[in-house]
Amino acid sequence: MAKKERQIVATTAWSAGPGCHGGCGVLAHIEDGRLVKVEGDPNHPWNQGRICARCLAMTKYVYHPDRITRPLKRVGERGEGKWQEISWEEAFAYVEEKLVKIRDEYGPESVIFSMGTGRDIGAWICMLAYAYGSPNVMFALSGLACYSPRIAAVTTVQGDYCILDASQWFPARYEDPRYTRPECIVIWGYNIPSTCPDNVFGHWITDLMKQGTKIICIDPRLTFFASRAEKWLQLRPGTDGALAMGFLNVILNEKLYDEKFVSDWTNAPHLVRTDTGKLLRAGDLPGDGNAADFVVWDAVAGKPAVWDTADVTYKAAGVRPALEGEYQVKLACGQTVQCTTVWDTFRRKVAEYPLDKVAEITLVPADDIRAAARLYATSKPAAIHWGEPIDMTPAITPTTQAIADLWAITGNLDVPGGNVISRYAFDAVAYALPGAKGAIKLKSAEMDKKRIGADKYGPLGKFIWRAHTDLVIDQIFTGEPYPVKGMWLQTTNPLSGIGMDPRKWQKALEKLDFVAVVDLFMTPTAQLADIILPAASFLEKESIRSWWIPLQTINKAIDVAECKSDVEINFELARRLDPEFKWNTVHELFDEILANSGMTFAELQEKGWAFPPEGHPSAPYRRFEKGLLRADGKPGFRTPSGKFELHSTLREEWGLEPVAHYEEPPFTPVSRPDLAAEYPLILCTGRRSAAFFISEHRNIPWLRALDPDPVVEIHPRKAQELGIGNGEWVWVENWLGKCKLKAKVTLEVPEWMVMAAHGWWFPEEKTAAPDLCGTFRSNINTLIPMNAVGQDGLGSPIKHMLCKVYKVRGDEA
Ligand SMILES: Nc1nc2c(c(=O)[nH]1)N[C@H]1C(S)=C(S)[C@@H](COP(=O)(O)OP(=O)(O)OC[C@H]3O[C@@H](n4cnc5c(=O)[nH]c(N)nc54)[C@H](O)[C@@H]3O)O[C@H]1N2
Ligand SMILES: Nc1nc2c(c(=O)[nH]1)N[C@H]1C(S)=C(S)[C@@H](COP(=O)(O)OP(=O)(O)OC[C@H]3O[C@@H](n4cnc5c(=O)[nH]c(N)nc54)[C@H](O)[C@@H]3O)O[C@H]1N2
Ligand code: SF4
Ligand SMILES: [Mo]
């Protein structure tokens, strides 16, 4: 037999497929138009040939018999499982008709455009929603508790997000002379070998460890890194804020901070009024707030304070006495007020967290905290990288602030081997808030006023362009302040994975006039839709990726039946729904998004990937010194004061505590001893499985074989006490619900905590309602509430609930 001709297409692994936040270079091997193998691209600077199990299983994914390959229209009752295949033309016309009807009757904001985690979708779902006229693009997780809270919180205090520097900005990677390896990395609630989230590739950290980097691992569970760490701090979930305050306490007491960075680049020397606890602002001062107009009297030294007018960009920031002290300032009204410095208030706050107190809160011994804080602060450079447990607490923002204060005051911000400011490569931002750059925009600021939650929660009005999930779900039931009538769900499966309180989600979806799902498979959520549109995997589409670095294209390798890429689907509908839609082809849209890079889509595709050159605002290092971060081109950060803010101007404006601190989560043995009496175990959820992505891949036999059942990890002594054997089915229960999981008896978890898998449904079971592939049977999210968000609307207690565990009786099995 003649050997078949093999073609190899180099492309970027993103979605759909492995599910991850991706970025890996892969080689797709094609014979006769069919995918026969996927491997890591050895020449790709990101992964250098390495690749995960889910990518290797793509041959099983793309041709899976359960894939939806033509649009499906519901013909029976919702959930009844009766579907009719229709053509794309019929499907587009049907969706258009339904959406136009809702828009005409209720207004476009009555349709919510809902998505899951960071797949190749954010831009395209905004494009569709905005073309239709709705500002309500929603990330379906309660409290938006993944990633965007972290980004918003960091941006609040330093104007830009930052990530661990593993040399990913340079094609030559570790060999680049500009790079310095971190001496120490703090892995803070992060299980990256199985997850690769947020554009950091897990193996980079092991690469660095092989070169000598030491690890501090902060995790209640014995993970890959915990077992190989210099210091492993096994903290109680949800107490990260207290631990970070403990680190700060050691660093301040032992003067391990970078004094020059603190005084030059943070707002430590700015003044805080003692009467209000608020920053002294230009409006408080006589004249136009310039130095000549008023006196700052150093009450301790008994003479006028040292004055530096370099900071006139933010008038109150012009006040630059020493780091510590007490000052008297004459105000516009003639009154003299007592002030202190931001540094003083910060120090006082940190002093509230002596190590014995922090040890009591976190369950980590004080000596271990001290040793870890010293190791971090004395390693130069050092980096911190964190995972989503940081978002998954209602006190997300103060927690993030405390951690960000660590990298700032130790001088590790935007330096080689530290925490490096991360911007989209070449600033090729696809979507944007009104006024900001980005090809895909809301039509007007007016339109944004209807975005649910934008007026209630400060960060949503400023940094997060999404509707607030918990408020949206409630609004479906109340119809206040306006009715919600439709939902477009694309890249998400709330009944099984992202939805907290999934039965509430089911009721909400059932209440709507119109539900559309765009997915590759028939999920429990899709089962409740009126129409399902079949999406393409990453191997079947063209797209772009500018998420941090490098700038990359996704290149089409195969076709699968009639599946279409998300961008194509949304493009066609947007064109139909918006007479002013400005692009004629998808390539035109790509070209506009890429305009900042100076390349067209075709040119970038030719290269495969591109790194921004030195001196570009999206390339490191020390951009705050070079005036590369701020719109006005001045040195400093993109914050209201131009400084890294230890006392947050924005948090103060939002009426929230402006300085980092710790808040006990809402459902813990400490905050709710009443509940803990009946539900004594801490319920942590969602540690990732390398085989699956959230609710995906249970239907891929190669992957299911790696992790066949939904498990709950339990310590051997606890299991023995409860009479539970390894591999036995148990109920995990609390006041909100219960679910059935298989006990995995393991020393990986502490005795006081269990770790439950999430995202489970059983694709092999009956799909129609009420069964919905058994999605409620083993769904740990039935034990987690909605509406338990933080004061700024962000975060959710997903990793620290309470529960009890007991054996499933024989007749219940
Ligand atoms: N208990 C608990 N629950 C959690 C978590 C936890 O830690 N604990 N983690 C939460 C977190 S951090 C997140 S981000 C959410 C994520 O939750 P989601 O992002 O909703 O992820 P999935 O459940 O995998 O659902 C994705 C759906 O989209 C489909 N899909 C995948 N790729 C594409 C694509 O490119 N196009 C289209 N159209 N469809 C696609 C898949 O087939 C699947 O049905 O889950 C959350 N759920
Ligand atoms: N294979 C695979 N990869 C994925 C995903 C997937 O489902 N499967 N999901 C993707 C998504 S959406 C996300 S957000 C990321 C998440 O990726 P990660 O951020 O790595 O998230 P997790 O694995 O949930 O948790 C990381 C670690 O935090 C620990 N932990 C739990 N609670 C706490 C706490 O309160 N404090 C601290 N310090 N540690 C805690 C857990 O024990 C775990 O080891 O992964 C992405 N990548
Ligand atoms: S999970 Fe990791 S290895 Fe797999 S494609 Fe995503 S980034 Fe690459
Ligand atoms: Mo996530």
Side-chain angles (χ1 to χ4, degrees):
M1 211 171 78
K3 201 160 178 268
K4 284 186 186 159
E5 199 180 319
R6 182 170 288 201
Q7 201 198 340
I8 297 177
V9 178
T11 186
T12 305
W14 198 7
S15 54
C20 65
H21 303 155
C24 284
V26 298
L27 301 176
H29 292 240
I30 319 293
E31 282 178 4
D32 282 347
R34 255 184 101 79
L35 180 74
V36 291
K37 175 174 145 178
V38 169
E39 63 179 341
D41 181 349
N43 297 318
H44 198 283
W46 179 276
N47 54 316
Q48 293 147 330
R50 296 166 286 194
I51 205 70
C52 63
R54 300 187 312 283
C55 259
L56 295 174
M58 280 307 287
T59 47
K60 298 288 156 194
Y61 181 102
V62 290
Y63 303 122
H64 197 287
D66 291 351
R67 252 192 96 171
I68 301 169
T69 53
R70 294 195 78 199
L72 296 178
K73 189 176 158 190
R74 172 171 70 80
V75 286
E77 291 298 306
R78 274 237 182 103
E80 206 187 348
K82 292 193 180 145
W83 300 94
Q84 182 196 351
E85 284 195 348
I86 56 173
S87 69
W88 274 106
E89 180 47 41
E90 287 168 309
F92 285 134
Y94 178 78
V95 174
E96 186 184 351
E97 181 204 316
K98 292 285 184 186
L99 290 180
V100 168
K101 185 162 182 282
I102 297 179
R103 182 164 65 185
D104 290 349
E105 270 178 50
Y106 303 99
E109 59 281 357
S110 293
V111 177
I112 309 294
F113 293 80
S114 180
M115 64 175 177
T117 186
R119 301 185 177 86
D120 178 23
I121 187 61
W124 321 138
I125 200 164
C126 287
M127 173 179 71
L128 174 58
Y130 300 168
Y132 175 64
S134 173
N136 285 320
V137 175
M138 178 176 95
F139 170 60
L141 190 58
S142 171
L144 314 174
C146 176
Y147 203 41
S148 50
R150 253 177 290 164
I151 297 186
V154 173
T155 312
T156 300
V157 294
Q158 70 182 39
D160 272 284
Y161 194 55
C162 65
I163 59 177
L164 154 82
D165 183 10
S167 74
Q168 62 270 42
W169 282 269
F170 311 117
R173 299 297 308 266
Y174 310 113
E175 307 305 321
D176 192 292
R178 287 165 291 185
Y179 182 62
T180 310
R181 178 179 57 76
E183 285 300 317
C184 164
I185 300 177
V186 184
I187 298 182
W188 204 311
Y190 200 31
N191 190 22
I192 194 165
S194 7
T195 55
C196 294
D198 317 342
N199 294 293
V200 172
F201 184 67
H203 289 279
W204 296 343
I205 299 180
T206 33
D207 290 345
L208 294 170
M209 286 164 77
K210 286 181 194 159
Q211 298 168 49
T213 297
K214 292 187 176 127
I215 300 296
I216 298 169
C217 181
I218 301 174
D219 199 307
R221 187 167 171 272
L222 180 62
T223 60
F224 174 89
F225 285 121
S227 71
R228 289 156 178 84
E230 193 76 10
K231 295 272 164 236
W232 170 32
L233 309 184
Q234 192 176 27
L235 87 171
R236 175 166 70 91
T239 63
D240 300 272
L243 188 68
M245 295 306 285
F247 270 48
L248 287 168
N249 192 293
V250 175
I251 290 167
L252 260 53
N253 283 339
E254 302 188 8
K255 292 210 174 343
L256 300 177
Y257 51 89
D258 180 334
E259 219 172 324
K260 187 157 169 47
F261 185 91
V262 170
S263 65
D264 290 354
W265 298 108
T266 77
N267 68 347
H270 297 177
L271 292 186
V272 176
R273 292 175 58 157
T274 340
D275 55 345
T276 58
K278 293 189 171 175
L279 287 168
L280 184 70
R281 306 233 175 187
D284 295 338
L285 302 169
D288 63 4
N290 281 326
D293 299 326
F294 64 98
V295 180
V296 179
W297 186 258
D298 184 331
V300 178
K303 57 181 183 177
V306 180
W307 179 254
D308 173 355
T309 49
D311 284 326
V312 282
T313 47
Y314 184 66
K315 297 283 175 49
V319 183
R320 281 185 57 94
L323 282 186
E324 287 162 36
E326 285 175 15
Y327 300 89
Q328 285 154 4
V329 181
K330 198 167 163 209
L331 302 186
C333 59
Q335 190 199 346
T336 298
V337 287
Q338 198 72 22
C339 288
T340 179
T341 58
V342 162
W343 186 247
D344 250 3
T345 52
F346 173 67
R347 283 185 74 99
R348 272 205 297 277
K349 184 53 77 184
V350 170
E352 289 172 21
Y353 297 86
L355 289 196
D356 51 350
K357 176 174 162 187
V358 174
E360 199 183 313
I361 298 172
T362 60
L363 307 181
V364 180
D367 287 346
D368 289 351
I369 303 172
R370 188 176 298 107
R374 283 179 182 157
L375 175 60
Y376 169 69
T378 56
S379 301
K380 298 288 172 200
I384 299 178
H385 210 78
W386 51 19
E388 43 78 87
I390 300 300
D391 299 301
M392 287 190 171
T393 184
I396 140 77
T397 306
T399 303
T400 300
Q401 268 182 296
I403 298 175
D405 290 349
L406 283 168
W407 64 59
I409 70 165
T410 54
N412 280 305
L413 181 53
D414 214 32
V415 299
N419 279 75
V420 171
I421 284 180
S422 42
R423 288 192 168 176
Y424 280 42
F426 298 92
D427 282 335
V429 184
Y431 48 80
L433 283 165
K437 50 183 175 180
I440 295 162
K441 294 186 184 70
L442 282 165
K443 288 186 176 164
S444 65
E446 199 51 37
M447 187 174 144
D448 199 42
K449 292 199 175 128
K450 292 268 175 77
R451 181 155 53 94
I452 297 171
D455 55 343
K456 183 165 180 194
Y457 296 124
L460 264 75
K462 183 98 185 154
F463 299 119
I464 304 180
W465 42 273
R466 292 164 178 159
H468 193 270
T469 317
D470 306 74
L471 296 179
V472 167
I473 299 299
D474 283 346
Q475 196 165 323
I476 291 176
F477 295 104
T478 63
E480 296 296 336
Y482 56 81
V484 175
K485 290 290 169 184
M487 198 179 286
W488 169 272
L489 294 129
Q490 191 168 17
T491 73
T492 190
N493 175 11
L495 252 53
S496 315
I498 203 171
M500 299 303 128
D501 195 350
R503 289 200 189 270
K504 183 172 180 183
W505 265 93
Q506 180 181 8
K507 287 193 198 103
L509 292 179
E510 283 167 356
K511 238 182 147 296
L512 296 172
D513 290 354
F514 177 60
V515 177
V517 164
V518 190
D519 206 305
L520 296 89
F521 295 98
M522 179 62 82
T523 65
T525 304
Q527 199 53 238
L528 299 181
D530 301 305
I531 185 158
I532 308 174
L533 304 176
S537 77
F538 79 91
L539 292 163
E540 302 151 46
K541 70 172 172 188
E542 282 189 328
S543 194
I544 48 178
R545 180 190 161 89
S546 61
W547 195 356
W548 312 150
I549 40 87
L551 189 62
Q552 303 186 77
T553 58
I554 300 178
N555 309 315
K556 188 168 177 170
I558 51 168
D559 274 307
V560 174
E562 291 186 25
C563 301
K564 277 190 196 292
S565 68
D566 293 285
V567 61
E568 283 178 302
I569 296 169
N570 294 18
F571 193 93
E572 174 56 24
L573 280 168
R575 204 183 55 71
R576 286 169 183 247
L577 290 162
D578 180 8
E580 290 160 22
F581 192 66
K582 65 189 253 202
W583 299 285
N584 296 304
T585 64
V586 170
H587 276 213
E588 249 180 45
L589 165 70
F590 289 168
D591 286 347
E592 185 170 337
I593 295 170
L594 293 176
N596 280 342
S597 73
M599 283 174 278
T600 62
F601 179 72
E603 285 160 353
L604 179 63
Q605 205 166 26
E606 186 71 21
K607 285 179 191 268
W609 62 79
F611 289 87
E614 201 169 345
H616 192 278
S618 64
Y621 293 106
R622 297 191 180 279
R623 279 159 280 187
F624 57 90
E625 289 175 352
K626 300 172 188 160
L628 287 168
L629 299 175
R630 297 175 54 82
D632 59 14
K634 294 199 170 130
F637 295 92
R638 207 163 34 167
T639 53
S641 65
K643 304 289 180 182
F644 178 99
E645 297 192 347
L646 294 166
H647 174 123
S648 165
T649 313
L650 290 171
R651 294 265 301 167
E652 187 189 291
E653 278 171 16
W654 296 331
L656 300 167
E657 156 86 68
V659 179
H661 62 279
Y662 172 65
E663 291 167 23
E664 182 69 25
F667 305 105
T668 71
V670 177
S671 57
R672 294 300 301 268
D674 54 328
L675 292 172
E678 189 171 352
Y679 306 104
L681 283 164
I682 294 174
L683 170 63
C684 196
T685 72
R687 66 106 187 97
R688 271 47 179 167
S689 157
F692 309 132
F693 196 91
I694 311 284
S695 76
E696 296 179 60
H697 305 112
R698 308 302 190 283
N699 53 356
I700 312 289
W702 286 3
L703 298 171
R704 183 75 176 269
L706 296 173
D707 204 352
D709 299 302
V711 294
V712 56
E713 296 167 341
I714 183 163
H715 189 278
R717 265 197 302 275
K718 185 53 69 181
Q720 191 180 32
E721 182 191 316
L722 298 171
I724 293 166
N726 190 33
E728 284 185 327
W729 288 99
V730 294
W731 290 113
V732 180
E733 182 178 319
N734 70 12
W735 61 100
L736 298 167
K738 66 176 183 176
C739 81
K740 194 168 150 182
L741 302 173
K742 197 176 237 187
K744 181 178 170 195
V745 177
T746 170
L747 288 164
E748 284 165 68
V749 288
E751 214 173 324
W752 35 263
M753 176 185 114
V754 292
M755 170 64 88
H758 69 307
W760 273 87
W761 57 292
F762 304 90
E764 65 278 15
E765 293 185 14
K766 201 166 159 224
T767 40
D771 301 71
L772 298 172
C773 295
T775 198
F776 295 115
R777 188 168 74 239
S778 299
N779 188 342
I780 196 66
N781 294 354
T782 50
L783 281 74
I784 305 174
M786 290 196 80
N787 287 320
V789 302
Q791 292 175 45
D792 56 4
L794 307 178
S796 181
I798 297 172
K799 300 230 183 263
H800 36 71
M801 289 296 294
L802 293 167
C803 72
K804 64 179 174 187
V805 179
Y806 55 97
K807 230 156 94 164
V808 168
R809 288 198 319 261
D811 57 341
E812 293 172 324

